[in-house]
């Protein structure tokens, strides 16, 4: 049992290798180690250890993970995309032990019942996933107890701090627009309303990531002598003997190690690739598993023809809209982010604001029939096909953010709030592939945002912009749109910015947008849409003839002894922040792997 920065030469062969030490990998490693302390397991994580890192432990410091200099984050550079005004999007991903669960924004959100069912895969329906959704959590919130868990490794609570004035203000404003407060939007069957947010934060105010919840307790217990974790080490490829996965080739990460010589470790029983939706396809392709045309161009010898690898890339398309507010300094984290408050002092004083992610409201929203009709015949067609008869499916999801959502040096010191809004179930698809055999070779990454043929994805956001704005206009703490953070409408447009000395009074009327206004919104969206960090789908679980990469037991087609377990496997998207789905996948994957290893089921033990 040990956590290493450099793997000792004595570790040459183990039973199971897990390539990647992210959200899913930490869960699987812990469950395998629990089932058989004699089984040797090696986790190889390319980034640093996350243990006791203040910017990870304390939720209010989460914005450090967005900084380009963050050692805990990987940044994937996209290609120029014409439909995004030739921008090259940068998509962050977890780059430390615990992966995305160590750097995300900690919003507790679950898929809808219809989402797992839409995967259309035996063993993966919502009813079959519910035991794992419950198993992962210790739930401290309201709602039906039958769908929640109360003794799992991950605490779900409100944390140690809330800005109750803006929280209540948003709820009353949303009610005016037609969206009621719902007690528990995570109960699988509730939709079209707003909720007082719960988060992956313990009642004592500490972040709940899978390294802390699952892996570190095993490493520190002394009861798992054969569980090995090496950080700051990059997996190049999986090795094969007669198409059976036999080990991996890896090296120390050159960002922190002077000696970057490659070495190999053998796996007696199983290799599991868990490098995330943006990392796993590259490992498989460098291993010779993928689309033969892509492998030939990249000068990689073909082991297995699996053309779906790296395709089907999906993400939730994100927009964040900032507003001026009348909130006090203790009702946002602007002072903390802007350097007007010293985080070291807050930590020393154990200030409860550290246990806050500055997001007190979550929502799942649908348009009215008239909203749908106003978006045109193509949108109406898509709505009728996918949403009209599925009231369980939201069109957009969002959160109230009590802070300016950007570089604080670009705005006057003050107290801001914002709406973070992303659309569920994107039609657009992208891809990610290698261009050469080495770790340093450029990745060919296209997000595909707003690329769907019917233009439905961008129309979702045109609707979402208008709807969230109407909610804010009815908040008593609203003081107008922050210039530069919204589309710039013509001065004579009824949609032009407002800036108020006091809150709106009387009956607030909806803004009437002209066709020209709609064009302004669309142009803004193409120039400003960003990632939600919810990458998925690049090694989808589906039949091989449907470009599937893994089967229902997560075995990679065309080879033996090789598994994939992370957010690359969902064939279709979910209407939720994706950590919950990732951990549920991990719990189920651990059960299946234990069965194949002859160790029974972790869930039943």
């Amino acid at each position: 049992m040990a956590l290493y920065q450099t793997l000792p030469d004595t570790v040459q062969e183990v039973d199971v290798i897990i390539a990647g030490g992210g959200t899913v990998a930490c869960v699987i490693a812990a469950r395998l180690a629990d089932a058989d302390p004699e089984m040797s397991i090696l986790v190889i994580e390319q980034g640093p250890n996350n243990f006791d890192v203040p910017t990870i432990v304390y939720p209010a410091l989460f914005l450090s993970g967005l900084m380009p200099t963050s050692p805990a984050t990987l940044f994937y550079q996209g290609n120029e995309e014409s439909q995004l005004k030739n921008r090259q999007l940068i998509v962050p991903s977890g780059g430390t032990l615990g992966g995305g669960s160590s750097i995300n924004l900690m919003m507790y959100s679950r898929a809808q019942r219809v989402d797992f069912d839409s995967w259309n895969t035996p063993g993966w329906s919502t009813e079959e996933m519910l035991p794992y959704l419950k198993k992962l959590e210790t739930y401290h919130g309201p709602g039906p107890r039958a769908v929640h868990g109360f003794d799992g490794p991950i605490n779900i609570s409100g944390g140690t701090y809330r800005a109750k004035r803006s929280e209540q203000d948003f709820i009353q404003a949303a009610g005016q627009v037609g969206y009621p407060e719902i007690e528990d939007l995570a109960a699988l069957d509730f939709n079209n309303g707003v909720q007082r947010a719960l988060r992956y934060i313990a009642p004592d105010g500490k972040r709940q990531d899978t390294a802390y919840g699952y892996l570190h307790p095993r490493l520190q217990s002394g009861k798992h002598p054969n569980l090995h974790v090496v950080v700051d080490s990059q997996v190049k490829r999986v090795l094969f003997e007669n198409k059976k996965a036999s080990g991996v080739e890896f090296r120390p990460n050159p960002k922190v190690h002077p000696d970057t010589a490659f070495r190999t470790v053998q796996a007696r029983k199983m290799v599991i690739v868990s490098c995330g939706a943006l990392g796993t396809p590259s490992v498989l392709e460098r291993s010779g598993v993928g689309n033969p045309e892509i492998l030939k161009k990249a000068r990689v010898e073909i082991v297995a023809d699996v053309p779906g690898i790296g395709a089907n890339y999906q993400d939730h398309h994100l927009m964040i809209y900032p507003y001026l507010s009348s909130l006090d300094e203790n009702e946002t984290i602007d002072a903390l982010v802007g350097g007007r408050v010293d985080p070291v002092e807050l930590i020393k004083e154990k200030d409860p604001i550290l246990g806050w992610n500055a997001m007190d409201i979550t929502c799942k929203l649908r348009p009215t029939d008239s909203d749908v009709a106003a978006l045109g015949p193509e949108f109406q067609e898509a709505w009728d096909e996918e949403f009209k008869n599925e009231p369980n499916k939201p069109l957009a999801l969002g959160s109230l953010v009590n802070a300016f959502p950007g570089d604080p040096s670009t705005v006057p010191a003050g107290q801001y709030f914002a709406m973070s809004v992303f659309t569920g179930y994107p039609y657009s698809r992208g891809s990610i592939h290698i261009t050469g055999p080495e770790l340093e070779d450029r990745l060919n990454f296209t997000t595909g945002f707003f690329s769907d043929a019917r233009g439905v994805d961008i129309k979702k956001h045109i609707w979402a912009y208008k709807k969230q704005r109407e909610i804010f206009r009815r908040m008593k703490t609203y003081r107008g749109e922050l210039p530069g953070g919204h589309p710039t409408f013509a001065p004579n447009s009824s949609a032009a910015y407002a800036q108020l000395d006091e809150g709106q009074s009387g009956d607030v009327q909806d803004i009437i947008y002209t066709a020209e206004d709609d064009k302004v919104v669309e142009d803004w969206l193409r120039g400003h849409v960003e990632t939600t960090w919810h990458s998925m789908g690049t090694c989808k679980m589906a039949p091989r003839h449907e470009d599937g990469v893994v089967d229902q037991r997560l075995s990679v087609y065309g080879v033996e002894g090789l598994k994939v377990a992370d957010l690359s496997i969902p064939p279709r998207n979910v209407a939720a922040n994706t950590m919950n789905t990732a951990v549920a996948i991990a719990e189920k994957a651990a059960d299946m792997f234990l069965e194949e290893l002859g160790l029974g089921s972790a869930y039943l033990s």
Side-chain angles (χ1 to χ4, degrees):
M1 171 216 63
L3 191 149
Y4 313 99
Q5 195 173 40
T6 301
L7 189 68
D9 290 338
T10 52
V11 182
Q12 295 286 337
E13 185 177 53
V14 294
D15 293 313
V16 177
I17 295 173
I18 305 176
T23 301
V24 172
C26 289
V27 177
I28 293 173
R31 294 303 188 196
L32 297 187
D34 283 348
D36 182 4
E38 297 303 312
M39 181 169 59
S40 54
I41 302 158
L42 172 63
V43 177
I44 306 174
E45 164 55 39
Q46 69 83 39
N49 185 9
N50 74 335
F51 189 74
D52 266 354
V53 176
T55 54
I56 292 174
V57 172
Y58 296 105
L61 307 182
F62 70 88
L63 284 172
S64 66
L66 289 167
M67 298 296 115
T69 55
S70 170
T73 309
L74 296 169
F75 298 93
Y76 289 84
Q77 175 79 60
N79 300 323
E80 282 191 8
E81 299 184 55
S82 59
Q83 81 282 5
L84 303 179
K85 303 185 79 170
N86 295 318
R87 291 187 301 139
Q88 293 177 290
L89 266 60
I90 295 174
V91 180
S93 182
T96 185
L97 200 63
S101 71
S102 294
I103 62 167
N104 66 13
L105 277 57
M106 294 159 284
M107 290 298 281
Y108 177 64
S109 178
R110 276 169 152 190
Q112 300 296 96
R113 182 176 297 278
V114 69
D115 294 344
F116 291 115
D117 291 343
S118 76
W119 295 1
N120 195 28
T121 303
W124 293 84
S125 70
T126 299
E127 281 305 308
E128 290 164 306
M129 291 299 291
L130 183 56
Y132 302 106
L133 293 167
K134 294 168 67 174
K135 182 183 182 183
L136 70 90
E137 68 182 23
T138 292
Y139 184 71
H140 299 274
R145 292 182 65 85
V147 297
H148 287 292
F150 300 94
D151 57 0
I154 302 295
N155 279 276
I156 311 298
S157 82
T160 54
Y161 199 87
R162 303 188 84 91
K164 293 183 180 179
R165 183 163 64 121
S166 52
E167 175 183 296
Q168 186 60 41
D169 198 5
F170 189 97
I171 288 171
Q172 69 80 22
Q176 291 185 52
V177 178
Y179 297 111
E181 181 179 358
I182 294 175
E183 185 180 49
D184 183 11
L185 276 171
L188 307 177
D189 298 300
F190 295 88
N191 186 25
N192 211 27
V194 304
Q195 182 192 342
R196 299 172 197 269
L198 296 171
R199 346 180 205 250
Y200 294 105
I201 301 175
D204 68 357
K206 301 297 174 58
R207 176 192 286 271
Q208 298 292 282
D209 62 80
T210 61
Y212 270 85
Y214 289 83
L215 194 59
H216 287 305
R218 274 77 179 176
L219 290 171
Q220 295 166 3
S221 71
K223 298 177 182 178
H224 303 279
N226 293 306
L227 174 59
H228 307 282
V229 177
V230 60
V231 296
D232 294 317
S233 300
Q234 299 171 306
V235 174
K236 178 182 179 182
R237 62 188 178 121
V238 178
L239 305 173
F240 294 94
E241 292 180 7
N242 299 319
K243 293 203 172 187
K244 183 181 186 302
S246 60
V248 299
E249 182 180 27
F250 73 101
R251 72 175 184 189
N253 191 327
K255 290 181 182 178
V256 294
H257 289 284
D259 179 8
T260 58
F262 282 98
R263 61 170 288 190
T264 63
V265 175
Q266 301 301 307
R268 285 184 285 265
K269 297 179 178 179
M270 185 181 289
V271 175
I272 304 163
V273 180
S274 187
C275 298
L278 292 171
T280 289
S282 304
V283 172
L284 295 179
E285 288 180 341
R286 287 194 298 267
S287 307
V289 181
N291 185 323
E293 305 247 340
I294 290 167
L295 299 183
K296 287 174 187 173
K297 286 181 183 176
R299 307 178 305 284
V300 173
E301 184 177 343
I302 299 167
V303 174
D305 178 354
V306 188
I309 289 174
N312 193 49
Y313 174 77
Q314 302 172 56
D315 192 355
H316 293 133
H317 308 157
L318 176 73
M319 295 297 300
I320 307 181
Y321 300 108
Y323 293 89
L324 304 168
S325 85
S326 63
L327 296 175
D328 296 328
E329 188 171 273
N330 65 349
E331 294 177 297
T332 78
I333 57 168
D334 286 305
L336 176 59
V337 175
R340 304 192 298 276
V341 172
D342 183 1
V344 175
E345 286 301 311
L346 294 180
I347 292 170
K348 189 183 300 182
E349 296 167 6
K350 298 182 179 179
D351 195 304
I353 202 170
L354 289 167
W356 188 38
N357 68 348
M359 286 175 274
D360 291 328
I361 292 288
T362 185
C363 53
K364 295 186 177 186
L365 309 177
R366 285 167 64 91
T368 63
D369 289 344
S370 60
D371 290 340
V372 172
L375 291 166
E378 294 90 353
F379 189 90
Q380 182 76 61
E381 180 182 36
W383 177 263
D384 291 348
E385 288 171 359
E386 188 164 346
F387 293 90
K388 183 177 181 179
N389 297 318
E390 286 284 5
N392 193 236
K393 298 182 77 166
L395 191 70
L397 300 88
S399 300
L400 171 65
V401 183
N402 283 45
F404 172 67
D407 181 350
S409 68
T410 62
V411 293
Q415 313 310 318
Y416 301 91
F417 51 20
M419 184 68 174
S420 165
V421 60
F422 62 89
T423 49
Y425 315 111
Y427 292 93
S428 302
R429 296 291 185 271
S431 61
I432 186 165
H433 297 290
I434 62 170
T435 62
E438 303 301 328
L439 286 162
E440 293 81 8
D441 291 324
R442 183 185 69 85
L443 295 175
N444 181 12
F445 176 35
T446 300
T447 69
F449 290 5
F450 293 161
S451 65
D452 60 303
R454 292 185 292 185
V456 171
D457 284 343
I458 199 163
K459 288 177 180 174
K460 293 177 186 176
H461 260 294
I462 292 173
W463 168 79
Y465 173 71
K466 297 175 183 178
K467 196 60 69 172
Q468 61 82 30
R469 193 176 177 193
E470 293 304 335
I471 295 174
F472 275 82
R473 292 178 67 240
R474 288 161 174 80
M475 292 179 69
K476 298 181 178 75
T477 49
Y478 161 86
R479 293 296 182 268
E481 291 77 24
L482 180 66
H486 292 251
T488 304
F489 300 99
N492 62 348
S493 168
S494 65
Y497 295 159
Q499 291 194 27
L500 310 173
D501 293 327
E502 297 181 357
Q504 301 266 37
S505 60
D507 200 18
V508 178
Q509 299 299 308
D510 285 357
I511 295 169
I512 304 299
Y513 292 83
T514 66
E516 184 59 37
D517 292 331
D518 284 353
K519 290 179 183 176
V520 170
V521 176
E522 178 174 338
D523 186 68
W524 177 268
L525 292 168
R526 294 193 186 280
H528 292 83
V529 68
E530 293 290 350
T531 172
T532 315
W533 307 30
H534 295 171
S535 299
M536 66 163 55
T538 51
C539 295
K540 72 177 180 180
M541 177 173 57
R544 196 171 185 179
H545 67 271
E546 295 177 8
D547 284 334
V549 175
V550 298
D551 64 17
Q552 68 194 62
R553 298 193 66 81
L554 306 186
S555 298
V556 177
Y557 291 122
V559 294
E560 296 178 10
L562 179 61
K563 304 286 189 176
V564 168
D566 54 33
L567 280 175
S568 69
I569 68 131
R572 300 195 68 188
N573 221 309
V574 296
N577 301 72
T578 49
M579 176 176 160
N580 192 267
T581 300
V583 182
I585 286 171
E587 289 281 17
K588 180 172 176 62
D591 257 14
M592 293 191 295
F593 300 162
L594 285 170
E595 289 172 7
E596 293 184 29
L597 291 165
L599 296 170
S601 164
Y603 183 71
L604 298 175
S605 62

